[in-house]
Amino acid sequence: MLTINKSDIVDGLLLGLMADMHVVKDKLVYFENKYHVSYEVFEQTVKNQEEDYKQWDDYIEWKAYRHLFEDISRKISDVKNADFEVT
């Protein structure tokens, strides 16, 4: 029978989550550099101007990456605090 330490599981989970986080951060920086504004400023601009489909698509994608960033951050916190269950 194989015995796996909880710390090995934590390390493996964190490694995967950190890799995912790196990809998401790169996308967030990409949009900030593309538009030279924060997400909040871009959101207001998109919502208050005449519809621009390219910007609207970027807004939806940027928003999704922000949500993904928050989700991964929560998961990292849960893993670091050993707040998970193996089933």
Side-chain angles (χ1 to χ4, degrees):
M1 178 164 84
L2 175 65
T3 302
I4 301 173
N5 294 326
K6 192 170 186 176
S7 66
D8 292 338
I9 293 172
V10 168
D11 290 345
L13 289 171
L14 284 176
L15 184 63
L17 289 167
M18 294 302 237
D20 293 343
M21 182 65 86
H22 180 72
V23 172
V24 171
K25 280 183 179 179
D26 282 349
K27 292 302 277 186
L28 294 173
V29 168
Y30 165 78
F31 285 116
E32 288 175 3
N33 289 337
K34 180 176 181 177
Y35 290 102
H36 305 288
V37 295
S38 68
Y39 169 80
E40 292 79 14
V41 170
F42 184 71
E43 179 179 44
Q44 290 306 311
T45 301
V46 168
K47 288 183 175 183
N48 293 325
Q49 70 181 11
E50 199 170 306
E51 214 167 285
D52 178 328
Y53 293 109
K54 178 64 178 148
Q55 284 188 349
W56 186 257
D57 287 346
D58 283 349
Y59 164 67
I60 297 300
E61 188 175 354
W62 197 349
K63 183 176 181 178
Y65 278 112
R66 286 175 47 92
H67 287 292
L68 186 55
F69 179 87
E70 292 168 6
D71 183 53
I72 293 171
S73 293
R74 278 191 299 275
K75 287 179 181 177
I76 288 172
S77 178
D78 288 346
V79 169
K80 284 182 175 180
N81 294 321
D83 188 17
F84 64 91
E85 185 176 301
V86 178
T87 61

